[in-house]
Structure formats: structure tokens, C-alpha cells
Amino acid sequence: MPDLPKAFLDALKGLGLVPDGAAVVGAPLEGGVSSDIWHVTIGQRDVCVRRALARLKVAKDWRVPETRHASEARWLAEVARIAPGHVPAILGHDETAGIIVMEFLKPGDFPVWKSLLRRCEVSPETISQVAGVLVRIHANTARRPELESMYDNDLFHELRLAPYFLALIDAHPDMEAVLREIVASVGRNRKAMTHGDFSPKNILIGPDGPVVLDAECAGWSDPAFDLAFCLNHLLLKAVWTSSAAPALHEGFTGFVRSYLSGVDWEAPSALEIRAARLLSAMLLARIDGKSPVEYITTDADRDLVRSFARRLLAQPEDHLDTVAALWFDHLKKHQSGSAHGNA
């Protein structure tokens, strides 16, 4: 077992979390590309310790400010008040070292939503709960514009907008104007506190509903970004697990319905239009951006996503349900053609 990093031990002691004489042991946790995360046992107590990395663990060179730990701590603290029980409790935050200590949630009791989707477990109840937590956060914070001062919009641009959308311009120069307008639209519609990485890999499904993790990319931004970010994964998971496509289509529709029913800070239709535009760019970003999804591995599948995303960028749709219907029809034709080709 590797030794616990000295910085982690020092932070735990400095935060008063290590009683005199208590044994401290730890093991690194798998998953994630942006942080060094450890499960640490202090005597009989289990905690999770994480520190943001300066260089993300992706193929392309992606360096980001380590100061983003402050955004995560602020987001978690605020959501703990808005939606108690739907984020892990913060036990300590060493701001100098950039280390956050949180309660440890046992994997057996809190499976990762991504792993459930992989097993074709697309629960309508879970979909509704996840969408409900997200829109509750957006609705509550949209009424509190003073929260904007807690976040650095330049950091959100550097962590999300540039690597996801502007990074596509080299590979898709004909889409430059569209992509730059999508980025500009996010800037014009900063209305609420956003998570920035609202993905199934960052959501645990516990006994009392979803628990949201990893808010390093939190900011004051367009709530449509979070909505599109999560919906994007429901579309892409159908490439990964084709047998779950019908359930994922239904889940997508349920997510949109649950989320939009809680939008009360602006016209739901206006937010939906922005989310549909963002969704098309996010599909392309997860193939050709700085953070491609790891489970779409064949050229044929990458071309499937790429061609659909480009079509949608060139001919945008205003309704998310229409996007989903077009996507699942596109996917069905692709899979049917693949099966015929292999016959």
C-alpha cells in the first residue's frame, strides 16, 4: 500500500482531524482525471481527502489552476444548505494546501450512477431525483445574485468553455462562428450557481437519493450548461451500452420534463433552446475536445457522434426532445447498419 502523501497527513493534523495517538492509513481511489483522491482511515473513522491536480490526467496537455479547490468548497457548502444530504459533508478545508476533507461514502451503499447506467439500470425515479436536485440548486441560487462574487468567471472559461468548445475549432474550422457564439451565449446568460461537471461519474445514488461530488468546475454561469452536460451523457451512454438505448431515451425525456418543471427564474423555453445548442457542441467536444469520453473507442462510433453533432450545430433544434428523437433514430440506423455489415 502506498504511503499517504505527507501534505495530506499535515493537512489532516492541521485541521484537527487526527486525535493524539490515532493511526492514519490511506489508499488512493480510482476514477477522475482532475484530482488526487484518497480514502483515509483515522483510527476508526473513514474520510475522503482530495487535492486538485495542476495537469489533468488526459491525453492532451491540459493544465488548470490548482486554486479551483476553493470553488468546490464554496459550491459544496452552499448546496449543503439548499439540498441537505445531496452532497458529502465537508469536514475540513486546508485552503493553503488546496486540500478538502469530506465524509467517506461507502461504495456498497453509494454506487456511482455511471456504473448503474452501464448495467442498464436506468431508473425513472433516479432520473427524476437527479434532475430535481439540479434544478433546485439553480432555482435557489438564481434568486441570490450576490453569490456571483464567490466565483471566478475566467476560471470557468478556462476549465469548461475553452477546452470543450474553443478547442474544437482547430479540428472543425468551419464551425468556428457557431462555437464562438455558443461560448458567448454562456457569458450572456450567467444566471445561477453551476456545477460545471454534472456527470453520472460524479453522482452517487444513495439510500436517500443522489449525492453530487466533484465540483471543481463550479461557477456562476448559464444553468443550461449543467442541464446539457448531464443530458449529453445520457445520449453517449447509448453508444456504450446499446441495449439500454430505449431506457436512456425515456430517461432523457424524463430528465428534461422534471428539470424544466422547476425552472421559475426565466422562461423554460428560452433555457431549453440554449441547452439544445450546448448539447450539440458537447457531443462533438466529447469526441474531439480536450476530454474525450473513454468508452467510445472505435472510429465508426466516433464518426457516428461527430456527424450527428455537426449536423445539429449546422441545423439547430429548439426542443431537447426533438434532439433526443433524432439522436436515437440516428443511433438505431447506425447499429442496424453495423449488424447488417457483420452478418
Side-chain angles (χ1 to χ4, degrees):
M1 180 180 297
D3 292 333
L4 182 69
K6 183 177 183 299
F8 284 8
L9 182 59
D10 290 345
L12 289 166
K13 289 181 177 178
L15 293 166
L17 296 173
V18 181
D20 290 342
V24 182
V25 295
L29 294 172
E30 296 181 356
V33 300
S34 63
S35 295
D36 192 11
I37 311 174
W38 285 62
H39 169 204
V40 178
T41 301
I42 307 168
Q44 300 299 312
R45 184 186 196 184
D46 293 310
V47 301
C48 177
V49 184
R50 59 180 290 147
R51 176 175 56 185
L53 297 172
R55 185 187 186 283
L56 274 58
K57 294 179 282 187
V58 295
K60 297 183 180 180
D61 187 35
W62 187 356
R63 299 177 188 274
V64 290
E66 296 169 76
T67 54
R68 63 192 187 278
H69 64 86
S71 296
E72 176 168 28
R74 294 182 190 119
W75 191 91
L76 290 170
E78 195 59 44
V79 175
R81 290 187 283 271
I82 297 168
H86 293 294
V87 289
I90 296 180
L91 305 177
H93 179 203
D94 186 329
E95 296 187 34
T96 301
I99 292 173
I100 300 176
V101 184
M102 296 173 284
E103 66 174 320
F104 179 76
L105 302 174
K106 295 181 179 179
D109 298 328
F110 293 86
V112 179
W113 191 26
K114 178 179 178 179
S115 67
L116 297 180
L117 294 176
R118 175 58 168 161
R119 300 200 298 264
C120 302
E121 297 180 25
V122 188
S123 161
E125 181 183 10
T126 296
I127 291 281
S128 178
Q129 289 175 335
V130 173
V133 169
L134 181 62
V135 76
R136 192 189 319 175
I137 295 166
H138 290 163
N140 183 283
T141 58
R143 291 189 285 270
R144 300 166 60 202
E146 71 277 5
L147 294 176
E148 180 175 6
S149 63
M150 298 196 314
Y151 295 100
D152 181 349
N153 288 325
D154 290 339
L155 185 60
F156 185 83
H157 185 278
E158 188 171 349
L159 291 171
R160 299 287 88 175
L161 302 181
Y164 275 78
F165 305 140
L166 299 183
L168 292 171
I169 293 172
D170 285 345
H172 302 275
D174 58 318
M175 294 293 175
E176 179 174 2
V178 176
L179 293 166
R180 290 196 183 278
E181 170 52 28
I182 287 172
V183 170
S185 175
V186 172
R188 291 193 301 268
N189 289 283
R190 294 195 293 260
K191 299 174 184 288
M193 189 177 74
T194 53
H195 181 277
D197 196 7
F198 202 80
S199 159
K201 70 179 174 61
N202 293 326
I203 300 171
L204 309 180
I205 305 302
D208 299 316
V211 179
V212 186
L213 313 174
D214 195 358
E216 291 179 10
C217 299
W220 186 264
S221 188
D222 186 350
F225 184 96
D226 279 348
L227 174 61
F229 201 94
C230 194
L231 292 176
N232 187 38
H233 283 277
L234 296 181
L235 298 185
L236 292 174
K237 295 296 183 289
V239 181
W240 191 27
T241 308
S242 59
S243 59
L248 286 166
H249 190 173
E250 183 179 349
F252 182 106
T253 301
F255 197 110
V256 171
R257 182 172 57 249
S258 294
Y259 180 90
L260 291 180
S261 70
V263 175
D264 60 4
W265 63 89
E266 64 175 304
S269 58
L271 185 144
E272 183 178 11
I273 289 171
R274 299 198 309 275
R277 303 292 190 273
L278 281 161
L279 181 53
S280 60
M282 285 178 181
L283 282 164
L284 192 59
R286 298 319 297 267
I287 299 299
D288 293 327
K290 282 196 173 183
S291 182
V293 290
E294 82 287 355
Y295 52 82
I296 296 181
T297 58
T298 70
D299 288 340
D301 284 345
R302 284 190 284 266
D303 285 341
L304 158 79
V305 180
R306 189 180 289 121
S307 63
F308 181 82
R310 284 180 54 84
R311 168 188 164 193
L312 204 59
L313 283 168
Q315 299 174 319
E317 297 287 345
D318 290 346
H319 299 289
L320 289 165
D321 284 353
T322 302
V323 173
L326 291 170
W327 164 258
F328 284 101
D329 182 62
H330 183 72
L331 180 62
K332 184 178 181 180
K333 290 177 180 176
H334 168 76
Q335 292 170 340
S336 175
S338 297
H340 178 74
N342 292 330

mmCIF file of all heavy atoms in Angstrom, residues 295-324:
data_model
loop_
_atom_site.group_PDB
_atom_site.id
_atom_site.type_symbol
_atom_site.label_atom_id
_atom_site.label_comp_id
_atom_site.label_asym_id
_atom_site.label_seq_id
_atom_site.Cartn_x
_atom_site.Cartn_y
_atom_site.Cartn_z
ATOM 1 N N TYR A 295 -15.031 5.663 -23.325
ATOM 2 C CA TYR A 295 -15.718 4.426 -23.699
ATOM 3 C C TYR A 295 -16.191 4.398 -25.150
ATOM 4 O O TYR A 295 -16.763 3.407 -25.577
ATOM 5 C CB TYR A 295 -16.890 4.165 -22.741
ATOM 6 C CG TYR A 295 -17.846 5.321 -22.563
ATOM 7 C CD1 TYR A 295 -18.850 5.575 -23.479
ATOM 8 C CD2 TYR A 295 -17.746 6.159 -21.457
ATOM 9 C CE1 TYR A 295 -19.730 6.620 -23.323
ATOM 10 C CE2 TYR A 295 -18.624 7.218 -21.276
ATOM 11 C CZ TYR A 295 -19.614 7.439 -22.214
ATOM 12 O OH TYR A 295 -20.478 8.494 -22.048
ATOM 13 N N ILE A 296 -15.997 5.464 -25.884
ATOM 14 C CA ILE A 296 -16.281 5.424 -27.326
ATOM 15 C C ILE A 296 -14.942 5.250 -28.027
ATOM 16 O O ILE A 296 -14.155 6.196 -28.148
ATOM 17 C CB ILE A 296 -17.022 6.693 -27.781
ATOM 18 C CG1 ILE A 296 -18.393 6.742 -27.098
ATOM 19 C CG2 ILE A 296 -17.177 6.719 -29.298
ATOM 20 C CD1 ILE A 296 -19.245 7.937 -27.482
ATOM 21 N N THR A 297 -14.667 4.034 -28.457
ATOM 22 C CA THR A 297 -13.296 3.656 -28.827
ATOM 23 C C THR A 297 -13.084 3.347 -30.295
ATOM 24 O O THR A 297 -11.944 3.253 -30.744
ATOM 25 C CB THR A 297 -12.872 2.425 -27.999
ATOM 26 O OG1 THR A 297 -13.799 1.357 -28.244
ATOM 27 C CG2 THR A 297 -12.857 2.746 -26.510
ATOM 28 N N THR A 298 -14.158 3.158 -31.059
ATOM 29 C CA THR A 298 -13.968 2.806 -32.465
ATOM 30 C C THR A 298 -14.163 4.034 -33.351
ATOM 31 O O THR A 298 -14.920 4.950 -33.020
ATOM 32 C CB THR A 298 -14.957 1.714 -32.915
ATOM 33 O OG1 THR A 298 -16.278 2.263 -32.958
ATOM 34 C CG2 THR A 298 -14.918 0.527 -31.946
ATOM 35 N N ASP A 299 -13.504 4.021 -34.499
ATOM 36 C CA ASP A 299 -13.654 5.128 -35.437
ATOM 37 C C ASP A 299 -15.097 5.256 -35.903
ATOM 38 O O ASP A 299 -15.605 6.366 -36.099
ATOM 39 C CB ASP A 299 -12.731 4.936 -36.637
ATOM 40 C CG ASP A 299 -11.265 5.152 -36.300
ATOM 41 O OD1 ASP A 299 -10.995 5.809 -35.260
ATOM 42 O OD2 ASP A 299 -10.403 4.668 -37.056
ATOM 43 N N ALA A 300 -15.749 4.115 -36.092
ATOM 44 C CA ALA A 300 -17.138 4.142 -36.563
ATOM 45 C C ALA A 300 -18.044 4.841 -35.551
ATOM 46 O O ALA A 300 -18.911 5.651 -35.930
ATOM 47 C CB ALA A 300 -17.630 2.726 -36.824
ATOM 48 N N ASP A 301 -17.856 4.533 -34.278
ATOM 49 C CA ASP A 301 -18.691 5.160 -33.250
ATOM 50 C C ASP A 301 -18.349 6.638 -33.084
ATOM 51 O O ASP A 301 -19.239 7.473 -32.867
ATOM 52 C CB ASP A 301 -18.533 4.426 -31.915
ATOM 53 C CG ASP A 301 -19.295 3.103 -31.888
ATOM 54 O OD1 ASP A 301 -20.147 2.893 -32.771
ATOM 55 O OD2 ASP A 301 -19.033 2.287 -30.988
ATOM 56 N N ARG A 302 -17.072 6.959 -33.178
ATOM 57 C CA ARG A 302 -16.703 8.379 -33.092
ATOM 58 C C ARG A 302 -17.286 9.160 -34.262
ATOM 59 O O ARG A 302 -17.777 10.287 -34.094
ATOM 60 C CB ARG A 302 -15.174 8.525 -33.040
ATOM 61 C CG ARG A 302 -14.577 8.185 -31.674
ATOM 62 C CD ARG A 302 -13.118 8.579 -31.609
ATOM 63 N NE ARG A 302 -12.282 7.632 -32.340
ATOM 64 C CZ ARG A 302 -11.681 6.586 -31.773
ATOM 65 N NH1 ARG A 302 -11.832 6.341 -30.481
ATOM 66 N NH2 ARG A 302 -10.924 5.769 -32.500
ATOM 67 N N ASP A 303 -17.260 8.561 -35.447
ATOM 68 C CA ASP A 303 -17.845 9.228 -36.619
ATOM 69 C C ASP A 303 -19.356 9.371 -36.474
ATOM 70 O O ASP A 303 -19.944 10.360 -36.950
ATOM 71 C CB ASP A 303 -17.512 8.449 -37.888
ATOM 72 C CG ASP A 303 -16.064 8.628 -38.333
ATOM 73 O OD1 ASP A 303 -15.424 9.611 -37.892
ATOM 74 O OD2 ASP A 303 -15.575 7.798 -39.122
ATOM 75 N N LEU A 304 -19.987 8.391 -35.851
ATOM 76 C CA LEU A 304 -21.425 8.463 -35.597
ATOM 77 C C LEU A 304 -21.761 9.712 -34.784
ATOM 78 O O LEU A 304 -22.659 10.490 -35.144
ATOM 79 C CB LEU A 304 -21.868 7.217 -34.830
ATOM 80 C CG LEU A 304 -23.168 7.320 -34.023
ATOM 81 C CD1 LEU A 304 -24.358 7.192 -34.955
ATOM 82 C CD2 LEU A 304 -23.219 6.271 -32.921
ATOM 83 N N VAL A 305 -21.043 9.909 -33.677
ATOM 84 C CA VAL A 305 -21.298 11.065 -32.812
ATOM 85 C C VAL A 305 -20.924 12.354 -33.528
ATOM 86 O O VAL A 305 -21.672 13.345 -33.513
ATOM 87 C CB VAL A 305 -20.513 10.932 -31.490
ATOM 88 C CG1 VAL A 305 -20.783 12.145 -30.597
ATOM 89 C CG2 VAL A 305 -20.876 9.642 -30.756
ATOM 90 N N ARG A 306 -19.774 12.332 -34.181
ATOM 91 C CA ARG A 306 -19.257 13.533 -34.856
ATOM 92 C C ARG A 306 -20.225 14.020 -35.942
ATOM 93 O O ARG A 306 -20.541 15.212 -36.039
ATOM 94 C CB ARG A 306 -17.889 13.213 -35.437
ATOM 95 C CG ARG A 306 -17.131 14.405 -35.970
ATOM 96 C CD ARG A 306 -15.789 13.953 -36.524
ATOM 97 N NE ARG A 306 -14.853 13.551 -35.481
ATOM 98 C CZ ARG A 306 -14.300 12.346 -35.391
ATOM 99 N NH1 ARG A 306 -14.592 11.393 -36.281
ATOM 100 N NH2 ARG A 306 -13.442 12.070 -34.429
ATOM 101 N N SER A 307 -20.715 13.104 -36.755
ATOM 102 C CA SER A 307 -21.596 13.502 -37.856
ATOM 103 C C SER A 307 -22.909 14.063 -37.331
ATOM 104 O O SER A 307 -23.440 15.053 -37.870
ATOM 105 C CB SER A 307 -21.858 12.309 -38.783
ATOM 106 O OG SER A 307 -22.535 11.267 -38.099
ATOM 107 N N PHE A 308 -23.439 13.447 -36.267
ATOM 108 C CA PHE A 308 -24.694 13.937 -35.706
ATOM 109 C C PHE A 308 -24.504 15.315 -35.091
ATOM 110 O O PHE A 308 -25.333 16.221 -35.300
ATOM 111 C CB PHE A 308 -25.215 12.963 -34.651
ATOM 112 C CG PHE A 308 -26.522 13.396 -34.040
ATOM 113 C CD1 PHE A 308 -27.720 13.142 -34.685
ATOM 114 C CD2 PHE A 308 -26.545 14.084 -32.835
ATOM 115 C CE1 PHE A 308 -28.929 13.551 -34.139
ATOM 116 C CE2 PHE A 308 -27.747 14.507 -32.278
ATOM 117 C CZ PHE A 308 -28.948 14.235 -32.933
ATOM 118 N N ALA A 309 -23.431 15.492 -34.336
ATOM 119 C CA ALA A 309 -23.175 16.776 -33.668
ATOM 120 C C ALA A 309 -22.995 17.894 -34.692
ATOM 121 O O ALA A 309 -23.533 19.001 -34.529
ATOM 122 C CB ALA A 309 -21.954 16.661 -32.773
ATOM 123 N N ARG A 310 -22.239 17.621 -35.739
ATOM 124 C CA ARG A 310 -22.014 18.641 -36.769
ATOM 125 C C ARG A 310 -23.339 19.019 -37.458
ATOM 126 O O ARG A 310 -23.590 20.194 -37.730
ATOM 127 C CB ARG A 310 -20.992 18.141 -37.786
ATOM 128 C CG ARG A 310 -19.551 18.189 -37.279
ATOM 129 C CD ARG A 310 -18.574 17.678 -38.351
ATOM 130 N NE ARG A 310 -18.758 18.401 -39.602
ATOM 131 C CZ ARG A 310 -18.202 19.585 -39.888
ATOM 132 N NH1 ARG A 310 -17.418 20.186 -38.999
ATOM 133 N NH2 ARG A 310 -18.415 20.164 -41.054
ATOM 134 N N ARG A 311 -24.152 18.026 -37.725
ATOM 135 C CA ARG A 311 -25.458 18.294 -38.351
ATOM 136 C C ARG A 311 -26.303 19.186 -37.446
ATOM 137 O O ARG A 311 -26.949 20.133 -37.912
ATOM 138 C CB ARG A 311 -26.157 16.970 -38.617
ATOM 139 C CG ARG A 311 -27.632 17.083 -38.998
ATOM 140 C CD ARG A 311 -28.265 15.697 -39.041
ATOM 141 N NE ARG A 311 -29.709 15.732 -39.023
ATOM 142 C CZ ARG A 311 -30.464 14.678 -38.809
ATOM 143 N NH1 ARG A 311 -29.905 13.488 -38.595
ATOM 144 N NH2 ARG A 311 -31.783 14.767 -38.808
ATOM 145 N N LEU A 312 -26.272 18.899 -36.153
ATOM 146 C CA LEU A 312 -27.086 19.661 -35.212
ATOM 147 C C LEU A 312 -26.540 21.080 -35.016
ATOM 148 O O LEU A 312 -27.308 22.022 -34.813
ATOM 149 C CB LEU A 312 -27.134 18.924 -33.870
ATOM 150 C CG LEU A 312 -28.332 19.199 -32.956
ATOM 151 C CD1 LEU A 312 -29.632 18.833 -33.660
ATOM 152 C CD2 LEU A 312 -28.188 18.409 -31.660
ATOM 153 N N LEU A 313 -25.236 21.222 -35.079
ATOM 154 C CA LEU A 313 -24.653 22.564 -34.995
ATOM 155 C C LEU A 313 -25.043 23.403 -36.215
ATOM 156 O O LEU A 313 -25.319 24.603 -36.100
ATOM 157 C CB LEU A 313 -23.134 22.472 -34.892
ATOM 158 C CG LEU A 313 -22.553 22.079 -33.530
ATOM 159 C CD1 LEU A 313 -21.076 21.736 -33.655
ATOM 160 C CD2 LEU A 313 -22.752 23.201 -32.512
ATOM 161 N N ALA A 314 -25.082 22.769 -37.364
ATOM 162 C CA ALA A 314 -25.410 23.487 -38.598
ATOM 163 C C ALA A 314 -26.909 23.748 -38.727
ATOM 164 O O ALA A 314 -27.325 24.768 -39.296
ATOM 165 C CB ALA A 314 -24.916 22.696 -39.804
ATOM 166 N N GLN A 315 -27.718 22.812 -38.194
ATOM 167 C CA GLN A 315 -29.170 22.936 -38.279
ATOM 168 C C GLN A 315 -29.766 22.742 -36.885
ATOM 169 O O GLN A 315 -30.299 21.677 -36.560
ATOM 170 C CB GLN A 315 -29.739 21.896 -39.243
ATOM 171 C CG GLN A 315 -29.209 22.031 -40.671
ATOM 172 C CD GLN A 315 -29.683 20.894 -41.564
ATOM 173 O OE1 GLN A 315 -29.733 19.733 -41.163
ATOM 174 N NE2 GLN A 315 -30.052 21.240 -42.791
ATOM 175 N N PRO A 316 -29.667 23.750 -36.035
ATOM 176 C CA PRO A 316 -30.052 23.587 -34.632
ATOM 177 C C PRO A 316 -31.545 23.344 -34.431
ATOM 178 O O PRO A 316 -32.381 23.793 -35.222
ATOM 179 C CB PRO A 316 -29.622 24.917 -33.995
ATOM 180 C CG PRO A 316 -29.527 25.884 -35.118
ATOM 181 C CD PRO A 316 -29.124 25.094 -36.316
ATOM 182 N N GLU A 317 -31.836 22.605 -33.374
ATOM 183 C CA GLU A 317 -33.215 22.348 -32.952
ATOM 184 C C GLU A 317 -33.477 23.109 -31.647
ATOM 185 O O GLU A 317 -32.573 23.292 -30.839
ATOM 186 C CB GLU A 317 -33.427 20.851 -32.709
ATOM 187 C CG GLU A 317 -33.254 19.992 -33.947
ATOM 188 C CD GLU A 317 -34.401 20.143 -34.928
ATOM 189 O OE1 GLU A 317 -35.462 20.685 -34.520
ATOM 190 O OE2 GLU A 317 -34.254 19.722 -36.082
ATOM 191 N N ASP A 318 -34.726 23.516 -31.454
ATOM 192 C CA ASP A 318 -35.072 24.289 -30.267
ATOM 193 C C ASP A 318 -35.545 23.433 -29.101
ATOM 194 O O ASP A 318 -35.584 23.901 -27.965
ATOM 195 C CB ASP A 318 -36.173 25.308 -30.600
ATOM 196 C CG ASP A 318 -35.682 26.426 -31.498
ATOM 197 O OD1 ASP A 318 -34.450 26.572 -31.642
ATOM 198 O OD2 ASP A 318 -36.531 27.144 -32.051
ATOM 199 N N HIS A 319 -35.928 22.187 -29.390
ATOM 200 C CA HIS A 319 -36.522 21.348 -28.352
ATOM 201 C C HIS A 319 -35.624 20.149 -28.059
ATOM 202 O O HIS A 319 -35.216 19.430 -28.982
ATOM 203 C CB HIS A 319 -37.915 20.884 -28.772
ATOM 204 C CG HIS A 319 -38.877 22.014 -28.997
ATOM 205 N ND1 HIS A 319 -39.384 22.778 -27.969
ATOM 206 C CD2 HIS A 319 -39.395 22.532 -30.150
ATOM 207 C CE1 HIS A 319 -40.187 23.706 -28.463
ATOM 208 N NE2 HIS A 319 -40.197 23.585 -29.781
ATOM 209 N N LEU A 320 -35.381 19.927 -26.798
ATOM 210 C CA LEU A 320 -34.499 18.831 -26.399
ATOM 211 C C LEU A 320 -35.082 17.473 -26.751
ATOM 212 O O LEU A 320 -34.349 16.556 -27.127
ATOM 213 C CB LEU A 320 -34.205 18.924 -24.896
ATOM 214 C CG LEU A 320 -33.301 20.087 -24.495
ATOM 215 C CD1 LEU A 320 -33.364 20.325 -22.988
ATOM 216 C CD2 LEU A 320 -31.855 19.827 -24.930
ATOM 217 N N ASP A 321 -36.389 17.322 -26.643
ATOM 218 C CA ASP A 321 -36.994 16.039 -27.011
ATOM 219 C C ASP A 321 -36.796 15.741 -28.494
ATOM 220 O O ASP A 321 -36.631 14.579 -28.890
ATOM 221 C CB ASP A 321 -38.486 16.037 -26.678
ATOM 222 C CG ASP A 321 -38.754 15.856 -25.188
ATOM 223 O OD1 ASP A 321 -37.784 15.598 -24.446
ATOM 224 O OD2 ASP A 321 -39.923 15.970 -24.777
ATOM 225 N N THR A 322 -36.795 16.781 -29.317
ATOM 226 C CA THR A 322 -36.538 16.584 -30.745
ATOM 227 C C THR A 322 -35.106 16.133 -30.972
ATOM 228 O O THR A 322 -34.841 15.240 -31.793
ATOM 229 C CB THR A 322 -36.806 17.883 -31.526
ATOM 230 O OG1 THR A 322 -38.159 18.293 -31.311
ATOM 231 C CG2 THR A 322 -36.576 17.681 -33.018
ATOM 232 N N VAL A 323 -34.172 16.746 -30.254
ATOM 233 C CA VAL A 323 -32.768 16.333 -30.345
ATOM 234 C C VAL A 323 -32.642 14.856 -29.998
ATOM 235 O O VAL A 323 -31.969 14.081 -30.702
ATOM 236 C CB VAL A 323 -31.887 17.181 -29.407
ATOM 237 C CG1 VAL A 323 -30.459 16.635 -29.372
ATOM 238 C CG2 VAL A 323 -31.877 18.636 -29.858
ATOM 239 N N ALA A 324 -33.289 14.444 -28.905
ATOM 240 C CA ALA A 324 -33.204 13.046 -28.485
ATOM 241 C C ALA A 324 -33.815 12.111 -29.527
ATOM 242 O O ALA A 324 -33.242 11.048 -29.831
ATOM 243 C CB ALA A 324 -33.906 12.865 -27.141
#
